[in-house]
């Protein structure tokens, strides 16, 4: 692929490379970011390689971020992984480098950057990073630290290989990462673990989950509820997959209240494509996993109604 050659030429050209990812990161955001950094550090030990963004304590086992001076962006290559649009990029200095590369597996709704490599058929951005390594295996090294980070990203974005985006290639890549030293069982166990407050919130989600006529499920997590369990909004990602465990549920939405009162909308599906719905409410994402925003109760009701229609249409086609 010509775009891979372009990315490699940029990596070889620049002696300073700064890697970004999206805000509110998940394992794939950090896994792809850190995995790429570890590959480049092992392969080009004379280059300066940095990863930037907010440190997330719950994911520090995948990798920790670097604090760098803005002056380091001068004459630097900036790579952004796992981020569909520029407003979501963590650390707003991403445009201060000399060259910008986008590597992502979401629909390319905003093609930012000088070089763009997007594959929306990939199960995760971490899978793409391994593909980049594999394409240049004669020039690149894959240390155990990179294998662990990339495996963590794949496990996160495939829901431990439960989501429909998981392909035979995903499994082959995962096996290759295990052969390279990724601690598969430890990583899966770590991503499956929750704290006691999250366990109690999980019980609340199941207790209060509602189902529409056509099997669209929804629950609202207000600021008051989160305070009751001693949790922050950022910690709620662990409960997002829970409704999908219920046989009757075709698609679901979890509304999480933000500090300014509006709601973050977490949409997931087993069949109906939901990214169009997300786009209609200031969001976007994958057909089976998207995010949006709702300003008030009326907009939340509108989203629930639209999700119910999508489930009905999907059921009629099945």
């Amino acid at each position: 692929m010509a775009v891979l050659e372009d990315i490699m030429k940029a990596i070889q050209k620049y002696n300073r490379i700064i890697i970004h990812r999206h805000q509110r990161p998940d394992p794939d955001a950090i896994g792809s970011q850190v995995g790429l950094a570890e590959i480049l550090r092992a392969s080009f030990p004379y280059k300066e390689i940095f990863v930037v963004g907010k440190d997330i304590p719950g994911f520090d086992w995948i990798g920790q971020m670097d604090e760098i001076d803005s002056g380091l962006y001068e004459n630097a290559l900036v790579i952004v992984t796992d981020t569909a649009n520029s407003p979501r990029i963590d650390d707003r200095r991403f445009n201060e480098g000399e060259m910008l590369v986008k590597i992502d597996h979401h629909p390319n709704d905003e093609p930012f950057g000088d070089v763009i490599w997007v594959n929306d058929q990939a199960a995760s951005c971490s899978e793409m990073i391994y593909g980049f390594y594999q394409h240049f295996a004669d020039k690149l090294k894959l240390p155990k630290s990179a294998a662990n980070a990339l495996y963590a990203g794949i496990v996160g974005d495939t829901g431990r290989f439960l989501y429909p985006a998981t392909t035979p290639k995903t499994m082959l890549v995962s096996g290759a990462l295990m052969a390279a030293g990724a601690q598969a069982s430890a990583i899966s166990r770590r991503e499956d673990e929750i704290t006691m407050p999250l366990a109690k919130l999980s019980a609340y989600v199941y207790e209060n989950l509602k189902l529409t006529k056509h099997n669209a499920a929804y629950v609202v997590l207000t600021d008051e509820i989160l305070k009751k369990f001693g949790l922050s909004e950022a910690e709620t990602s662990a409960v997002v997959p829970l409704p999908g465990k219920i046989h009757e549920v075709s698609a679901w939405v979890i509304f999480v209240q933000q500090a300014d009162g509006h709601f973050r909308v977490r949409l997931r599906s087993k069949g109906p494509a939901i990214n169009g719905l997300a786009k209609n409410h200031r969001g976007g994402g994958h057909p089976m996993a998207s995010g949006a925003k709702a300003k008030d109760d009326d907009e939340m009701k509108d989203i629930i109604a639209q999700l119910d229609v999508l489930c009905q249409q999907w059921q009629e086609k099945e």
Side-chain angles (χ1 to χ4, degrees):
M1 291 175 64
V3 67
L4 299 187
E5 299 292 338
D6 291 340
I7 294 172
M8 176 55 85
K9 287 177 183 176
I11 288 170
Q12 291 173 326
K13 175 183 176 180
Y14 289 90
N15 287 322
R16 185 179 303 123
I17 301 170
I18 305 169
I19 307 174
H20 291 240
R21 38 80 180 160
H22 64 73
Q23 301 166 351
R24 293 172 171 165
D26 52 18
D28 187 38
I30 296 180
S32 58
Q33 178 191 30
V34 171
L36 177 59
E38 291 299 297
I39 289 171
L40 298 184
R41 285 167 179 158
S43 307
F44 306 101
Y46 55 88
K47 293 182 184 287
E48 294 179 284
I49 313 293
F50 301 104
V51 290
V52 299
K54 185 178 180 182
D55 251 320
I56 308 297
F59 292 143
D60 56 6
W61 58 275
I62 302 176
Q64 294 183 314
M65 300 297 103
D66 300 308
E67 292 186 14
I68 64 173
D69 186 85
S70 295
L72 290 177
Y73 281 83
E74 186 176 356
N75 300 318
L77 169 65
V78 176
I79 300 175
V80 180
T81 67
D82 196 41
T83 310
N85 48 56
S86 57
R88 290 199 68 206
I89 301 173
D90 200 351
D91 196 318
R92 305 309 298 167
R93 298 175 293 179
F94 70 92
N95 264 327
E96 296 180 15
E98 186 171 285
M99 185 176 183
L100 178 62
V101 173
K102 174 184 180 180
I103 302 176
D104 187 35
H105 73 122
H106 300 90
N108 196 22
D109 293 332
E110 185 193 337
F112 64 84
D114 301 298
V115 177
I116 301 169
W117 178 31
V118 172
N119 178 8
D120 60 8
Q121 300 303 303
S124 65
C125 194
S126 294
E127 181 179 308
M128 293 177 66
I129 299 300
Y130 179 83
F132 180 76
Y133 155 76
Q134 189 178 41
H135 189 81
F136 296 104
D138 59 328
K139 298 183 178 73
L140 299 175
K141 296 179 180 179
L142 182 69
K144 184 177 177 180
S145 56
N148 276 321
L150 296 178
Y151 191 88
I154 291 172
V155 168
D157 253 28
T158 62
R160 291 178 293 284
F161 310 107
L162 286 172
Y163 298 159
T166 305
T167 65
K169 182 178 180 180
T170 304
M171 305 308 293
L172 288 171
V173 169
S174 301
L177 291 171
M178 291 172 67
Q183 299 173 303
S185 59
I187 290 169
S188 294
R189 191 181 311 114
R190 185 67 183 260
E191 293 197 26
D192 195 44
E193 286 179 346
I194 58 174
T195 62
M196 184 59 75
L198 274 172
K200 293 180 178 179
L201 180 63
S202 300
Y204 177 89
V205 168
Y206 281 133
E207 182 76 20
N208 292 274
L209 194 70
K210 293 181 173 59
L211 203 61
T212 68
K213 181 179 179 181
H214 300 101
N215 295 335
Y218 62 95
V219 67
V220 179
L221 302 179
T222 63
D223 183 57
E224 182 181 357
I225 291 167
L226 296 182
K227 285 180 179 177
K228 174 184 175 182
F229 294 110
L231 293 168
S232 67
E233 183 273 335
E235 294 175 282
T236 61
S237 59
V239 304
V240 175
L242 296 182
K245 296 178 183 289
I246 301 171
H247 175 72
E248 290 82 0
V249 173
S250 298
W252 64 100
V253 56
I254 295 182
F255 300 99
V256 185
Q257 192 169 29
Q258 307 296 291
D260 64 1
H262 87 275
F263 287 84
R264 184 181 182 186
V265 180
R266 313 289 291 269
L267 286 155
R268 298 293 185 269
S269 175
K270 295 178 185 176
I274 53 175
N275 51 339
L277 170 57
K279 287 179 184 178
N280 291 335
H281 295 273
R282 304 177 300 286
H286 298 287
M288 301 295 115
S290 293
K293 296 177 182 178
K295 63 180 181 295
D296 52 27
D297 286 348
D298 287 340
E299 188 167 10
M300 286 194 289
K301 290 176 182 177
D302 187 34
I303 290 171
I304 294 166
Q306 291 177 52
L307 186 61
D308 183 63
V309 170
L310 290 176
C311 287
Q312 179 183 14
Q313 293 172 343
W314 177 72
Q315 290 163 11
E316 288 173 351
K317 291 178 181 179
E318 290 297 298

